[in-house]
């Protein structure tokens, strides 16, 4: 009966893949009945009473075995091809490619800030050598911002069109050249020096927009804040590196020493970056399939900007855009006040000598690097925990503004340099939470124009930095103390925090 049942099937293929329960049972019984007569490959069936049904069964068995062999062979070839191409790559890869990207980005951000600090330290012997006045020193220090304020917008638009890899590579090449030429320009003429420093600022203006766009493409949403925090940690450590290495190079080699060192480091980074990074993870030949899937699954794919002019009027017509612009203004205002005036603050208020004041000023930047990365990890954790993107951005930015505001108010009542250092460290450490607030929010609301939006807000922030740096000097000269300007800065932090919580959003607007 078993053989008869199989004879009535429509085809060998049907008997192999039929979902009928009775056919499966009959096939298994038949298989058991003849299994002890099966020999190795090139199967030969034997039966004590051969019949047409048995012969048909033999043919079916051979067909099934051939089909199984073909399928197994195909699967083996497919697996072999996978291992031979990207499978071999996955076996070799030990460090995810996105980690290499963020490590290189942290290095260049460190170099970006260190190159600025070099001039801040080297300007002292340069002034002594050339007989510069204090007023001219202020002009030299501000000349960096002349180019920086314009290149942020242009650089952001270029990043949107060409991607961050080529733009930041060009920027590093140009600002390394400007760094190398600075001592020569100072010896040649004051006009040459100012031109080189303005060109240096022009080249560095592309760094932050490039970082923002590249990391948004290389990291899923739940890792992006950590990636930015790590990169900005390198940025803050650039202050420490510049302050520590520049005096050593000045004393051992001379004025040209630190400029040659940091320009050479820029070219070394450039060679590594050019051959190891792509604008998009899909273009990278070394990335594994698993990492690519992880990145793509963790973010929303938006249309890529193909070079269209950004809708400036539309961007500026929305309140979330102004929330970002005001946040950047306030952040830069407070940041540059503390960066520019801390040494003089400690000397004027607590009569600390300049050497000690430099060390007092360097401590907060190291802690800021750590707190910025912690802020990024905290932001990513909250997003993974299920909090909305809007709520997370508001929480991070509120800490980044309310914390420094309260700290600066308390600074008015500090009685010792140690207590003042503690409060300034707290202010800068908490201000780094802004990196997980407005700095990431540009990509949230305008993914196609994030670079351009970054440029607009950064230019406004740079203008605020110029005003606050000059304004602090006038306030101190007018009132004879830092208290009034610290209070004004704290009030600005509080007002912007309120505006941010009213109008900021984590949803896409453009």
């Amino acid at each position: 009966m078993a053989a008869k049942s199989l004879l009535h099937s429509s085809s060998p293929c049907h008997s192999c893949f039929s979902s009928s329960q009775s056919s499966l049972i009959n096939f298994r019984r038949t298989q058991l009945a003849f299994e002890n007569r099966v020999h190795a490959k090139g199967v030969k069936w034997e039966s004590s009473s051969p019949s047409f049904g048995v012969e048909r069964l033999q043919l079916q068995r051979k067909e099934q075995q051939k089909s199984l062999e073909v399928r197994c062979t195909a699967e083996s070839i497919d697996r072999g091809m996978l291992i031979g191409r990207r499978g071999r790559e996955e076996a070799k890869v030990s460090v995810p490619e996105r980690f290499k990207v963020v490590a290189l980005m942290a290095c260049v951000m460190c170099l970006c800030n260190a190159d600025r600090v070099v001039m801040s330290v080297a300007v002292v012997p340069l002034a002594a050598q050339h007989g510069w006045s204090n007023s001219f020193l202020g002009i030299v220090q501000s000349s960096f911002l002349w180019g920086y304020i314009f290149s942020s917008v242009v650089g952001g638009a270029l990043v949107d069109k060409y991607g961050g890899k080529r733009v930041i590579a060009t920027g590093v090449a140009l600002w390394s050249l400007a760094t190398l030429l600075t001592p020569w320009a100072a010896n040649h003429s004051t006009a040459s020096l100012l031109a080189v420093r303005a060109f240096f600022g022009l080249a560095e203006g592309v760094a932050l927009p490039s970082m923002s766009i590249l990391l948004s493409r290389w990291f899923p949403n739940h890792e992006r804040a950590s990636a930015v925090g790590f990169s900005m940690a390198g940025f803050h450590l650039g202050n420490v590196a510049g302050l520590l290495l520049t005096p050593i190079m000045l004393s051992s080699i001379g004025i040209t020493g630190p400029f040659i060192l940091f320009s050479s480091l820029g070219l070394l980074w450039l060679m590594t970056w050019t051959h190891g990074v792509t604008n998009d993870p899909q273009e990278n030949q070394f990335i594994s399939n698993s990492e690519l899937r992880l990145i793509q699954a963790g973010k929303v794919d938006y249309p890529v900007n193909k070079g269209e002019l950004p809708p400036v009027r539309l961007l500026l017509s929305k309140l979330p855009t102004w929330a970002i612009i005001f946040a950047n203004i306030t952040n830069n205002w407070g940041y540059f006040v503390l960066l520019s005036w801390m040494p003089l603050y400690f000397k004027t208020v607590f009569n600390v000598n300049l050497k000690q004041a430099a060390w007092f000023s360097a401590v907060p930047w190291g802690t800021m690097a750590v707190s910025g990365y912690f802020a990024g990890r905290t932001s990513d954790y909250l997003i993974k925990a299920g909090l909305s993107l809007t709520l997370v951005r508001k929480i991070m930015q509120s800490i980044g503004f309310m914390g420094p505001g309260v700290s600066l108010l308390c600074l008015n009542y500090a009685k010792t340099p140690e207590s003042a250092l503690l409060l300034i460290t707290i202010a800068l450490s908490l201000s780094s939470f802004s990196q997980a607030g407005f700095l990431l929010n540009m990509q949230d609301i305008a993914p196609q124009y994030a670079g351009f939006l970054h440029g607009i807000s950064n230019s406004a922030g740079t203008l605020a930095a110029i005003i606050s740096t000059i304004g602090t000097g006038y306030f101190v000269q007018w009132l004879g103390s830092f208290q009034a300007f610290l209070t004004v800065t704290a009030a600005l932090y509080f007002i912007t925090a309120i505006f941010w919580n009213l109008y900021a959003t984590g949803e896409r607007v453009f």
Side-chain angles (χ1 to χ4, degrees):
M1 292 294 294
K4 184 177 180 181
S5 165
L6 286 171
L7 269 171
H8 285 271
S9 62
S10 60
S11 68
C13 182
H14 174 79
S15 65
C16 292
F17 298 102
S18 173
S19 58
S20 170
Q21 186 174 4
S22 61
S23 296
L24 287 173
I25 294 173
N26 289 337
F27 178 77
R28 287 176 181 172
R29 287 176 182 170
T30 304
Q31 185 181 13
L32 288 173
F34 288 94
E35 182 140 330
N36 59 347
R37 304 209 178 185
V38 178
H39 297 288
K41 216 167 171 189
V43 178
K44 212 174 184 183
W45 288 79
E46 295 179 3
S47 176
S48 56
S49 56
S51 66
F52 176 73
V54 174
E55 290 174 359
R56 181 63 179 271
L57 184 61
Q58 291 174 356
L59 292 173
Q60 283 184 327
R61 182 61 176 171
K62 289 179 182 179
E63 292 280 346
Q64 185 185 29
Q65 188 172 5
K66 287 179 182 178
S67 174
L68 182 62
E69 287 176 358
V70 170
R71 189 174 60 207
C72 291
T73 303
E75 290 175 354
S76 298
I77 292 173
D78 184 61
R79 284 194 296 269
M81 291 174 68
L82 177 63
I83 294 173
R85 292 194 302 268
R86 185 158 281 180
R88 269 200 296 266
E89 292 173 8
E90 292 187 11
K92 292 179 181 178
V93 170
S94 57
V95 179
E97 288 298 312
R98 67 189 188 282
F99 292 173
K100 298 177 184 178
V101 172
V102 75
L104 284 172
M105 186 59 68
C107 290
V108 78
M109 296 308 292
C110 178
L111 186 64
C112 174
N113 219 18
D115 283 351
R116 302 182 193 181
V117 176
V118 170
M119 189 59 182
S120 299
V121 178
V123 75
V124 177
L126 282 172
Q129 179 180 335
H130 297 284
W132 295 338
S133 64
N134 288 333
S135 59
F136 184 72
L137 281 180
I139 295 174
V140 171
Q141 293 285 53
S142 65
S143 59
F144 160 80
L145 297 172
W146 302 350
Y148 190 81
I149 194 172
F150 294 108
S151 65
S152 294
V153 177
V154 177
L158 289 174
V159 170
D160 287 333
K161 183 174 182 179
Y162 297 108
K165 177 188 174 179
R166 283 188 287 175
V167 174
I168 196 171
T170 303
V172 172
L174 294 178
W175 89 54
S176 296
L177 176 62
T179 301
L180 183 64
L181 293 177
T182 299
W184 170 84
N187 290 327
H188 186 266
S189 67
T190 55
S192 299
L193 176 62
L194 295 178
V196 167
R197 294 305 296 171
F199 181 74
F200 172 77
L202 193 69
E204 280 210 344
V206 304
L208 286 176
S210 297
M211 178 201 73
S212 177
I213 297 299
L214 269 170
L215 295 184
S216 70
R217 293 182 180 179
W218 269 93
F219 283 83
N221 289 339
H222 62 274
E223 292 181 359
R224 192 152 52 95
S226 297
V228 171
F230 188 80
S231 297
M232 291 302 293
F235 183 80
H236 300 310
L237 288 176
N239 283 319
V240 179
L243 288 170
L244 293 179
L245 293 177
T246 302
I248 296 174
M249 301 298 292
L250 288 173
S251 60
S252 60
I253 299 177
I255 291 178
T256 59
F259 295 97
I260 294 175
L261 171 66
F262 285 102
S263 60
S264 301
L265 290 176
L267 296 177
L268 180 64
W269 176 91
L270 191 60
M271 290 187 290
T272 306
W273 176 264
T274 303
H275 296 94
V277 176
T278 58
N279 276 323
D280 193 280
Q282 293 183 3
E283 301 169 1
N284 191 290
Q285 61 178 329
F286 302 110
I287 193 170
S288 64
N289 282 325
S290 57
E291 184 181 6
L292 188 59
R293 286 194 298 268
L294 178 106
I295 294 171
Q296 292 175 333
K299 62 181 182 180
V300 178
D301 288 328
Y302 294 115
V304 178
N305 186 344
K306 298 181 179 179
E308 299 89 348
L309 291 175
V312 180
R313 182 175 296 180
L314 178 63
L315 285 172
L316 297 180
S317 67
K318 304 295 183 181
L319 286 172
T321 300
W322 286 103
I324 292 174
I325 292 174
F326 288 150
N328 205 325
I329 288 173
T330 301
N331 182 73
N332 278 20
W333 179 288
Y335 181 89
F336 279 93
V337 164
L338 295 176
L339 176 65
S340 303
W341 291 97
M342 264 196 295
L344 187 60
Y345 169 81
F346 282 109
K347 183 179 184 299
T348 304
V349 176
F350 299 107
N351 198 29
V352 174
N353 65 56
L354 287 177
K355 186 176 180 180
Q356 287 178 309
W359 279 103
F360 271 85
S361 303
V363 170
W365 305 116
T367 58
M368 193 176 183
V370 177
S371 64
Y373 179 68
F374 173 76
R377 293 299 300 267
T378 303
S379 175
D380 287 338
Y381 173 79
L382 293 176
I383 291 173
K384 289 179 183 178
L387 272 68
S388 71
L389 200 57
T390 298
L391 180 59
V392 172
R393 297 287 183 255
K394 289 184 176 181
I395 290 173
M396 294 294 107
Q397 194 59 63
S398 296
I399 296 173
F401 281 167
M402 300 297 290
V406 173
S407 299
L408 291 183
L409 287 180
C410 294
L411 188 61
N412 288 325
Y413 303 98
K415 301 299 182 183
T416 64
E418 290 77 17
S419 62
L421 175 63
L422 176 63
L423 288 169
I424 291 175
T425 301
I426 292 173
L428 283 173
S429 297
L430 293 180
S431 72
S432 65
F433 277 70
S434 294
Q435 296 167 190
F438 82 88
L439 193 59
L440 289 173
N441 194 231
M442 304 170 197
Q443 187 69 33
D444 297 331
I445 71 167
Q448 286 182 267
Y449 306 107
F452 183 75
L453 179 57
H454 195 129
I456 292 176
S457 64
N458 209 33
S459 293
T462 303
L463 180 61
I466 296 173
I467 295 172
S468 67
T469 303
I470 297 173
T472 302
Y474 277 104
F475 261 78
V476 173
Q477 183 177 343
W478 178 34
L479 299 175
S481 74
F482 283 88
Q483 289 186 352
F485 203 74
L486 291 175
T487 303
V488 169
T489 303
L492 185 61
Y493 273 123
F494 296 144
I495 293 171
T496 310
I498 294 172
F499 190 88
W500 176 267
N501 280 283
L502 287 175
Y503 299 113
T505 180
E507 304 299 322
R508 186 183 181 190
V509 179
F510 306 100

